[in-house]
Amino acid sequence: MRFLDVKGREVFFSNRKIGFLEDIIVDCKNKKIALYVINPTNEKGFYYVRINDVIFEEDNIVLNNKCYKVNNIKNKCLQKYLLTRILGANVRTDNSKEYGSLADVIFDEKTGRIRALVISLGIFDDLVNGRRVVLLDNEDILDSEETIVKNTSLEIINEISIV
């Protein structure tokens, strides 16, 4: 599942809309999603939801357990871990060659593990050739400043269309 495909989806709990998916908090060290961030419809602050408490349906998200209300101050402390902060970061090879920028991630919705990176080489290249998908390796480094992937990971590249 791609993050940008689910960002903005409506979130329901007990058959009631409570808000929409705003962001994801990423555990960069373990390359996995730690929490989903829900922007509530009628309240200030945010809700944090654990991976196991989320069910992705066709057009929306259903929670099977309560979420944790977090005020704006606490949310600001965790901003450096937000996926939207990491998107756009440089992607380099392990021999320091710049490759592109992080456009999206593909993750397993059951475990939260980030399986692959969607890399943009620039607007023109994206339109002509599509974006690149690089499988995430255990030795690759995912960080808010830049992401470093092994040169050998780039050999498994797939092209996807952004259309």
Side-chain angles (χ1 to χ4, degrees):
M1 179 167 285
R2 291 177 46 176
F3 168 66
L4 293 178
D5 289 343
V6 296
K7 184 181 184 332
R9 279 194 190 176
E10 293 180 328
V11 179
F12 293 84
F13 178 67
S14 297
N15 294 321
R16 194 180 112 243
K17 179 181 169 186
I18 63 166
F20 60 91
L21 181 66
E22 176 75 22
D23 215 326
I24 291 174
I25 295 178
V26 178
D27 175 354
C28 290
K29 181 179 177 186
N30 294 312
K31 299 171 196 81
K32 122 177 242 199
I33 295 168
L35 297 165
Y36 293 105
V37 180
I38 309 300
N39 189 345
T41 309
N42 300 319
E43 299 177 42
K44 291 185 179 183
F46 294 91
Y47 294 132
Y48 286 179
V49 183
R50 296 179 302 194
I51 301 294
N52 300 341
D53 296 334
V54 172
I55 300 168
F56 287 95
E57 293 184 344
E58 191 171 322
D59 293 329
N60 53 42
I61 299 167
V62 177
L63 305 182
N64 60 14
N65 207 342
K66 290 183 181 179
C67 40
Y68 305 97
K69 179 121 170 87
V70 179
N71 62 29
N72 287 330
I73 295 169
K74 177 115 178 164
N75 193 53
K76 283 184 182 184
C77 295
L78 294 171
Q79 277 192 349
K80 66 181 178 179
Y81 303 108
L82 293 174
L83 182 57
T84 53
R85 293 276 187 167
I86 297 170
L87 295 180
N90 289 330
V91 177
R92 298 186 186 277
T93 63
D94 54 356
N95 60 3
S96 297
K97 182 182 175 225
E98 188 165 327
Y99 187 68
S101 62
L102 185 61
D104 201 353
V105 298
I106 299 171
F107 64 96
D108 181 329
E109 66 266 18
K110 302 268 190 250
T111 64
R113 181 157 165 68
I114 298 173
R115 299 284 184 196
L117 307 175
V118 179
I119 299 173
S120 170
L121 301 180
I123 294 171
F124 180 73
D125 199 82
D126 287 353
L127 291 173
V128 173
N129 298 314
R131 292 184 170 166
R132 307 300 194 270
V133 175
V134 177
L135 298 177
L136 201 58
D137 188 275
N138 286 338
E139 296 172 21
D140 294 338
I141 299 169
L142 181 63
D143 189 64
S144 59
E145 300 297 319
E146 71 178 1
T147 296
I148 301 172
V149 295
K150 288 186 345 183
N151 239 359
T152 53
S153 297
L154 297 179
E155 296 170 5
I156 319 173
I157 295 176
N158 248 340
E159 293 183 14
I160 61 170
S161 172
I162 61 171
V163 179

